[in-house]
Amino acid sequence: LTQSQAAHVRQLAAVLLRRRIGSHWRKLGAANTNRIKATLLQVLATEPEGAVVRSVAALCASAARHAMSKGGWPELLSCVLEGSRSPTTAHRLVAMTLIASLLESDEVTEHLRPHFVLLKDLLAAALQDAQLDVARGALKALSAWTPSLGTEQDAASLLRPLVPLVLGLGARALGESDSLGDDETITLVCSLMDDLLEQDGAVQPAQVSPIADYALAAAASTSLELEPRRAALHLCACLVGTRRRAVVKQKLLPAMLARLFEVGSSGGIGAPDDDDDDESKVYKMAAQVFETVAELVPSKHVMPLLLELVATHAPSPDPARRRAVLLILAVTAAGCAEAFAKELPRLMPVVYAGCEAPEPQVREAACLAIGLFAQSLHPEILEHYERVLPHLFEVLADARGEVQGRACYAIEAFCEHLGSDIQPFLAPLLERLTTLLQHTAERPTQERCVSAIAAVAVGAKKAFADYFDPVYALMRHLLGQTASEMLPLRARAMECVGLMCLAVGRDRCSHVLQEVVHVAMAGLPLDAPELREYTFGFFGQVAELLGEEAAPLVPPLLPFLVKAVEQEEVTEFSEHEQARILAKLGPDPDGDGDELLDDDDDDDEDEEGEEGGDGPGYGDGDELLDDDDDDDEDEEGEEGGDGPGIHTAMLDEKAAAIHCLGACAAYGGASFAPHIEAVMGPLLGCADHFHEDVRGALARTLSHLVKACAAAEPPQPWVKGEAPASSKLGKATRWLLQRSWRTLVSTFKDDDDKDTVAAAAESISEIVLLLGPSVLANAPWHPASTDPLVNGALALLEQRHSCQEAAQDLSEGGGVDEEEDHDEAVWEAVSELLTTLPKALGERWTPHLERLLPALLPYLREAHPLSDHALAIGILAEGLNHVEASGRHHLPTILPHAARCASAPDPTCRQNGVFCLGVLGAHGGEAALAQMQPILSALQQRLSAQEEDEAVVRDNAVGALSRIALSFGAALPLDAVLRAIADRLPLTEDEGENAPALRCLMQLLHAEETRAVAAPHMPALLKAIGHLLAGGGDGSPAADAGPRPCPLDAECEAEVRSFLVWAAGQSPQEMQALVMDLPRGREQVLAVLQAHQG
């Protein structure tokens, strides 16, 4: 280190010392350690080679960890101070290098804490250094220091004053576009600003605008290489993610989106096959920032700006701008789905024009837009099928394989939910797709084509039967492929055949099932994770098709499923693979000499290792125009590049295996129960899996297993509000609940993925409905087992759940964001859970409702969207309905909100508001009676409304009136109330509301004091009873089945039968005449009466 003339030898010596010094420091004694410290400082002062200096600085940091814990190393701090103030550039650079190395150690940083103010001043001076190398060294030091300043107070006092200096350095580097190292400085500035934005208190609201200006200027600079522009766009996304309220409040969004659009469209469109240059990657990354904006900023602020961009640039003669418009519409549709759905008549002509464009890149972007619209804007997008499909037909005939593949993707996404509307297009669709499949030589296009055929089959259902055999002949050929490069196509064909069979039904496909099952089983032992993934999906479809008759397939399939669930997707690299990666990286990329030695030689502590990565949620954007479902990924492909490899195909295989187990349990029922014990261990081993797809699949599968177990040993019937009693459940069901319940509840409470949280909530709701209050007795934390569920729901309502942290805003002002666009899947699942638990707990739900009320009321404020109003009033209404009189004291608080919701423009909000009015009226006691006139007036408005979307709400109003009449009877103006109920029976839009209506009329007819006023409505009541006993609905026969079952629940149906017998006993001849005049259900009513007489 001190005597060699060769720089690489000196660097190697420094690295060796750093690796070994920790384990020997205590043995060296004070004299030796003092000599080492002095020597290191001397080397730092005299070493001319930058690479050696960096390695020696790292060595000093390692030595400092030990020296500072044994009395300190004051000379080191003096060296830093003197070097940072030296007029010699090399000395200042050494000081910054040393500071950066020291701050990478948590122990050293803590010892330096008393000197933090001094350190801030040193870095402030260095950031303004005339020499860019020194300023860049200060950036690196600040980047190492920032994570240690975790408190808001530290961030405000130490980091905040440095933000303008960092931006100034970045602007300086941006202005010196020809200077060496310019790109590196800009990249460092953007990365550091990401970190500062993540620190609460580090960035003032007033600094948001300058940060945005800088990031956009760097992203727009075509003189920069790809990496700094990528970092600048990532900074834009991070700014929106962490300071979106400030961005909106300061009105930065219009200029930001306009400049981002210029970034995404300024590079030209390039040659059709030139999609790997930097400019093509930049436009994809710019589009990804638009996607982030749409996901995180309320759509009321985003949608007008998008529409303005569309109006300005969609007619442009520049194809790059037209492509950018389509790509931006495609990626923002999911984040602004509700607003997009309303604007489809305005947006679809732009998409059609894109399909007709002469440039293949524009046509491809148009197909992407259709596909993503179909995924996010269902069902509104389906109304445009008559124009969408012909345009896709034209693009399908494109000469370019990428455009054909994208058209297949759009057809796949669009046709899956089209239903009977697909029939006029079925023949031309299949003709074009099968022709393309047979004549294209591009495997990705073939795979997309097969997936599109599968989606057409799903959409067509029984109408696909005429095409089943010729299409199966094509798939049969693909199922016979054994070459490794053809196995992904065979996998798609496997999936396609399964979906075709489901579409046409068992009878139509029975002649091929045995052959396909044999081929599927034969493919499982092959070394092809992607084929196994799709084969597991096929067996899930077979389980749905055959039900319990698929049971013989489970034993031979189970070992493959369990193996897939248990396998590891993370693989440590071999020595050969490590060498290959180092060769790609080149010699010593970061200059500290670590690559000179294998990591196995490092016996010093590993705590200083860093996690790599570009930050969460942002990549290079290539996936936007690559295949969306990773169709072209090599099945042995790995994510990452310089660490353990993640085999994505094996990951998908694991998720598919878990889904397959769930399908076998869901459709096999009791026949799957003997296999539950064998699969529970492997499944629960995935509870903490790193990937959300696996955790989500597990959450869904656990409820299916519980259902299968309960089918094998049926539980005793449960009653709402009864005390939990595990004795009502079978032994195997109790065992299964004890193993699965904690996982589901923990996932709901703590998981950081929204879809996984939603899946857990749905599974919990299904189990509670199936097993009732007794399920709660089996929870490990009984008797307070409902509390964790309510805690999780409260965290979601208050926007502090783990799955919402990625979208947390660090702008000034906390609390619930009234403009937030909530994730639909999560809110539906939370609503389902909070309306299911009261159905089981009854009055026991009261204390939980008290806790939820303060969190729900903010969602009823006028500033919140109507979807929030519908969510909150629906949860409150369902809870109040089941706690009954225990919640009547809330009537003064909730009634005004219910009345306002009952007249809202949104039909779902009106439905829930009307239901709440009925619940408040029925259970509100004297307080409700005092408010009865406004309640009845609000319901009358809904009964008299004639809008097209009002039919369901009218049925809800009838149900609400019926509940109120059941509670108050003669205290109401019964003549008008009963006429309003009876005149609208039977209820066909919301058949569930027939039950309270029938109960109301039957009870009032049965009671002597109200029989006279109710008697005129006996014919209407019998007409409704006959209609419902005959199957309800609109009276037309089902398209593909026999007579419908009675839509009434068993309890209400029993009450109806008892009433018919009573009524016949009161006036046999009158009853006989009324029954004989029934337009529908006469036979069913007579059968009830005859059964009683018999």
Side-chain angles (χ1 to χ4, degrees), residues 224-227 229 274-285:
L224 298 177
E225 297 293 331
L226 176 64
E227 190 55 35
R229 298 181 74 187
D274 188 19
D275 227 21
D276 291 327
D277 64 335
D278 285 358
E279 285 303 322
S280 70
K281 293 179 180 177
V282 168
Y283 90 76
K284 295 174 187 177
M285 290 187 287

Side-chain angles (χ1 to χ4, degrees), residues 837-869:
L837 289 171
K839 293 175 184 176
L841 295 175
E843 193 174 352
R844 296 172 184 269
W845 181 245
T846 303
H848 306 296
L849 182 62
E850 301 290 340
R851 295 180 61 202
L852 288 166
L853 182 62
L856 287 166
L857 287 177
Y859 287 90
L860 291 167
R861 294 173 184 160
E862 291 190 13
H864 277 265
L866 292 175
S867 56
D868 285 2
H869 296 183

Side-chain angles (χ1 to χ4, degrees), residues 188-459:
L188 285 170
V189 167
C190 292
S191 178
L192 176 58
M193 291 309 307
D194 281 347
D195 294 338
L196 293 174
L197 286 168
E198 295 285 351
Q199 289 274 41
D200 196 5
V203 176
Q204 290 179 302
Q207 295 169 331
V208 170
S209 180
I211 294 172
D213 286 339
Y214 175 73
L216 291 164
S221 177
T222 56
S223 64
L224 298 177
E225 297 293 331
L226 176 64
E227 190 55 35
R229 298 181 74 187
R230 182 210 309 269
L233 288 167
H234 188 284
L235 176 55
C236 291
C238 184
L239 185 68
V240 171
T242 59
R243 298 295 191 280
R244 63 182 179 277
R245 291 185 187 178
V247 168
V248 171
K249 186 176 181 180
Q250 296 177 31
K251 297 181 170 53
L252 303 180
L253 205 58
M256 179 181 287
L257 294 190
R259 293 172 70 180
L260 279 171
F261 183 87
E262 294 302 321
V263 172
S265 61
S266 61
I269 203 161
D273 297 320
D274 188 19
D275 227 21
D276 291 327
D277 64 335
D278 285 358
E279 285 303 322
S280 70
K281 293 179 180 177
V282 168
Y283 90 76
K284 295 174 187 177
M285 290 187 287
Q288 196 166 1
V289 181
F290 271 95
E291 182 179 14
T292 301
V293 170
E295 288 176 351
L296 299 180
V297 178
S299 58
K300 63 181 285 186
H301 301 295
V302 179
M303 197 65 198
L305 302 177
L306 293 178
L307 293 175
E308 184 179 343
L309 287 174
V310 170
T312 303
H313 300 290
S316 172
D318 182 359
R321 292 181 177 274
R322 285 184 275 116
R323 177 182 63 179
V325 166
L326 291 166
L327 183 57
I328 289 166
L329 289 178
V331 300
T332 54
C336 301
E338 188 174 347
F340 258 74
K342 295 176 182 177
E343 296 292 343
L344 278 175
R346 183 175 177 181
L347 297 177
M348 291 309 296
V350 177
V351 179
Y352 301 146
C355 291
E356 299 166 356
E359 302 84 8
Q361 299 94 328
V362 179
R363 297 196 296 274
E364 188 177 354
C367 290
L368 179 67
I370 292 174
L372 292 177
F373 281 12
Q375 290 180 351
S376 306
L377 309 180
H378 177 271
E380 290 84 358
I381 184 64
L382 300 181
E383 298 173 7
H384 301 267
Y385 71 95
E386 290 180 320
R387 293 196 65 190
V388 168
L389 289 177
H391 278 91
L392 290 178
F393 288 165
E394 294 302 318
V395 183
L396 203 58
D398 201 285
R400 189 177 180 219
E402 290 86 349
V403 180
Q404 292 175 333
R406 192 60 70 189
C408 288
Y409 159 70
I411 290 172
E412 175 190 356
F414 193 84
C415 291
E416 186 174 358
H417 303 289
L418 197 52
S420 60
D421 289 332
I422 200 175
Q423 293 186 21
F425 300 93
L426 197 52
L429 259 176
L430 290 172
E431 179 184 354
R432 285 168 169 79
L433 289 171
T434 54
T435 300
L436 178 60
L437 177 62
Q438 294 174 82
H439 291 90
T440 183
E442 298 189 24
R443 182 173 61 81
T445 303
Q446 289 178 318
E447 293 175 17
R448 282 290 193 200
C449 194
V450 172
S451 295
I453 292 172
V456 170
V458 171

Side-chain angles (χ1 to χ4, degrees), residues 478-479 481-484 486-495 519-539 635 649 653 656:
L478 299 179
L479 291 175
Q481 301 298 313
T482 56
S484 59
M486 295 297 291
L487 291 182
L489 186 55
R490 173 176 168 176
R492 298 309 187 285
M494 193 86 259
E495 175 191 48
V519 172
M521 291 299 301
L524 290 176
L526 299 178
D527 185 18
E530 189 173 9
L531 178 59
R532 287 195 295 272
E533 173 199 346
Y534 282 85
T535 302
F536 292 154
F538 166 78
F539 279 112
E635 60 187 51
E653 179 191 351

